[in-house]
Amino acid sequence: MILDTQTLDILAKAVAKLEDGFSQLPQMESQVDAAALERVLMEVAERMQDNYPYMHPNYAGQMLKPPHPVARLAYSLALFINPNNHALDGGIASSAMEKEAVAAIANMFGFENHLGHLTSGGTMANLEALWVASKIKPGKLVIASKQAHYTHSRITGVLGIPYAGVEVDSLGKMSLSHLERLLASEDVGTVVVTLGTTSIGSVDPLPEILKLQSKYNFRVHIDSAYGGYFKLVDNLDQATTASFELINQADSIVVDPHKHGLQPYGCGCVIFKDPGVGALYKHDSPYTYFSSNELHLGEISLECSRAGASAVALWATLRLLPLVKGGEFAHGLSASRKAGLALYQKLKADDRFVVPLRPELDIVVYAVKAPTASASSRLAKSVFDAAADQHLHLALASLPRELIEGFWPDLTWDQDTVTCLRSCLMKPDHLSAIDRIWDILSSVTDRELSRLTV
Ligand SMILES: *Cc1c(COP(=O)(O)O)cnc(C)c1O
């Protein structure tokens, strides 16, 4: 069995339990034409077959991870109510669950006080963090590394904030020398530190960046949309661990429960260290916020309507899998890291591949050896296609020359980038699938290389 259907019985039981809470109301007739609904749903099921198998370990490509069954079921259960976490008027229990879930995340990062909420994703979460940063440091520059998510340059464009990119070193981390040059010469208000870049999973050197903070007095925003949960993991390299250890020094942090946190899409999170930033959101709504003097999440969020179901799903997941070191959730993440290292070691030991970077988290990027940058790029694409024919799904990533040339001195640069293969080994069951993944990858690579020589 590939798709989990065993747990559907539990959903039916939980819906019956939920219904108990509304038993005082007059009965309602179901208006559903079950036969018509079934016809449509069967059509949907057929349409949805046209997808990569994201839930299966043979999907070892983009940053996609299936939600935990508890999240899927709790989300579905919540949809029978369909709460809106904008105001307590729209979602009483789900707003309380959101506050508890966000507090658990803030606690994982080591924030003693915090203000935060869920968002539709990492883009909106970062937008809020940079919007707050621009209110506190008006007119000043926001900078992030050139491997930071492209959303930062777009968001600052939307917000009208000046933005500049910081060079990266040969490991894809923010270059400290270029950072210091920018700090000395420009009016920098905020440094965005990425703990886990989206393309290669590199972790910016937070301890050294914080040392510069005392001299140059900037705000630190941490974008750990992808990497944040690795705070709980005990098998990272020393330098990587040192950055995660200091994450509580940030002014704001973003993490995406819908990336590594086992949630369905539509779940990002932004957290501020100073609860006082809530005052920046102040607005008067003529028609919400009447039911309670308690905090309505819409009073501290730029988005208005938001899925209460997201908060319910996250809360349920944290109940089953608490965010503790050594716990089952942390164990799943360390398995991903082990899977990343296992694939890295196989690639590294093999003459047909060039692996510029040892994975810091669980993303492995690898090139197929060829005399020129363009030939290697073409090979990566043909291996990508040939692997897909064998039901192994990889991803592609274009890497700049700076990240590759030190590791691959004899490559002829007839173009400035090399298209590499990329695998985000985000699922705990990737670890036991590495041998199978490797066998397919190895055999299709052989075939593609031999087609070149005949
Ligand atoms: C995914 C990601 C984002 C964007 O988040 P979305 O949830 O896709 O909107 C931003 N920053 C980093 C580091 C990411 O990995």
Side-chain angles (χ1 to χ4, degrees):
M1 195 177 64
I2 306 286
L3 301 180
D4 156 56
T5 50
Q6 291 161 310
T7 52
L8 288 174
D9 293 348
I10 305 173
L11 180 60
K13 276 192 219 161
V15 173
K17 172 87 176 170
L18 176 61
E19 166 123 16
D20 286 347
F22 300 94
S23 59
Q24 308 292 321
L25 293 171
Q27 289 301 301
M28 280 161 61
E29 286 294 309
S30 166
Q31 305 292 328
V32 175
D33 174 348
L37 191 151
E38 183 171 335
R39 270 198 307 279
V40 172
L41 213 61
M42 288 301 156
E43 204 180 327
V44 172
E46 198 169 331
R47 293 286 304 256
M48 293 299 284
Q49 290 175 4
D50 184 19
N51 267 303
Y52 296 110
Y54 309 116
M55 60 289 174
H56 195 279
N58 272 32
Y59 187 87
Q62 306 282 8
M63 205 169 262
L64 291 152
K65 179 168 176 164
H68 193 280
V70 76
R72 184 158 35 77
L73 295 176
Y75 198 104
S76 308
L77 180 61
L79 286 186
F80 285 84
I81 304 286
N82 194 29
N84 180 340
N85 275 12
H86 175 222
L88 289 164
D89 311 53
I92 303 170
S94 54
S95 293
M97 289 158 112
E98 176 164 336
K99 289 173 195 170
E100 289 168 34
V102 170
I105 292 175
N107 184 54
M108 167 178 79
F109 290 135
F111 272 12
E112 278 167 23
N113 296 308
H114 75 277
L115 186 85
H117 60 86
L118 301 180
T119 62
S120 57
T123 302
M124 272 310 297
N126 277 301
L127 183 139
E128 286 200 19
L130 295 185
W131 175 74
V132 163
S134 76
K135 296 276 180 192
I136 291 172
K137 304 262 184 193
K140 294 186 187 245
L141 198 59
V142 169
I143 59 177
S145 97
K146 291 192 170 169
Q147 282 292 321
H149 199 284
Y150 63 82
T151 195
H152 295 287
S153 76
R154 285 215 302 208
I155 288 168
T156 46
V158 170
L159 294 168
I161 306 170
Y163 177 83
V166 188
E167 299 298 336
V168 291
D169 64 16
S170 61
L171 300 174
K173 297 161 176 276
M174 182 179 278
S175 152
L176 291 164
S177 55
H178 189 225
L179 172 63
E180 182 147 24
R181 255 182 293 145
L182 279 174
L183 291 169
S185 63
E186 308 283 335
D187 193 10
V188 174
T190 302
V191 177
V192 177
V193 180
T194 307
L195 300 190
T197 57
T198 317
S199 161
I200 58 176
S202 56
V203 173
D204 285 341
L206 184 58
E208 290 76 13
I209 295 169
L210 289 170
K211 280 191 194 121
L212 293 168
Q213 192 185 24
S214 44
K215 184 163 171 200
Y216 294 100
N217 183 34
F218 46 85
R219 241 181 115 75
V220 171
H221 168 59
I222 292 189
D223 181 4
S224 61
Y226 179 66
Y229 287 105
F230 281 93
K231 170 80 170 67
L232 296 174
V233 164
D234 55 14
N235 62 346
L236 305 177
D237 290 342
Q238 209 177 353
T240 315
T241 301
S243 288
F244 280 106
E245 288 288 305
L246 291 174
I247 201 167
N248 66 347
Q249 301 299 304
D251 295 293
S252 52
I253 307 176
V254 161
V255 65
D256 264 352
H258 72 198
K259 291 246 177 81
H260 249 308
L262 298 167
Q263 297 310 296
Y265 284 112
C267 195
C269 179
V270 61
I271 301 179
F272 298 95
K273 175 181 273 165
D274 174 12
V277 302
L280 298 168
Y281 289 84
K282 202 166 168 41
H283 68 117
D284 291 311
S285 164
Y287 45 77
T288 41
Y289 314 146
F290 290 116
S291 66
S292 169
N293 292 327
E294 290 255 315
L295 178 70
H296 300 264
L297 289 161
E299 293 176 283
I300 56 153
S301 158
L302 290 182
E303 285 174 280
C304 295
S305 293
R306 273 191 306 108
S310 282
V312 174
L314 181 60
W315 187 91
T317 308
L318 296 181
R319 192 94 177 138
L320 189 68
L321 302 168
L323 299 175
V324 289
K325 286 194 174 177
E328 189 183 338
F329 177 74
H331 191 73
L333 284 182
S334 52
S336 294
R337 156 84 172 150
K338 276 187 205 141
L341 287 178
L343 182 60
Y344 167 76
Q345 269 138 17
K346 286 182 185 295
L347 290 159
K348 193 77 189 164
D350 193 303
D351 274 350
R352 296 167 299 169
F353 297 98
V354 177
V355 206
L357 302 159
R358 184 167 183 275
E360 274 196 271
L361 302 179
D362 55 5
I363 302 176
V364 193
V365 180
Y366 42 106
V368 189
K369 207 173 264 180
T372 65
S374 65
S376 173
S377 299
R378 278 195 303 278
L379 265 169
K381 285 182 201 131
S382 55
V383 168
F384 171 87
D385 289 332
D389 288 342
Q390 304 298 314
H391 307 289
L392 172 67
H393 302 281
L394 309 169
L396 296 166
S398 165
L399 252 56
R401 187 168 175 165
E402 315 77 277
L403 286 187
I404 291 185
E405 64 192 347
F407 301 86
W408 198 353
D410 54 347
L411 183 72
T412 301
W413 287 93
D414 58 346
Q415 59 181 46
D416 282 337
T417 58
V418 175
T419 304
C420 298
L421 292 153
R422 168 169 164 268
S423 291
C424 300
L425 300 168
M426 299 178 79
K427 288 170 275 225
D429 41 0
H430 270 136
L431 183 56
S432 59
I434 285 299
D435 286 341
R436 183 177 70 219
I437 290 172
W438 172 250
D439 288 346
I440 302 174
L441 176 61
S442 178
S443 73
V444 298
T445 304
D446 260 349
R447 221 170 47 222
E448 294 311 307
L449 283 170
S450 67
R451 279 165 46 149
L452 281 188
T453 49
V454 290

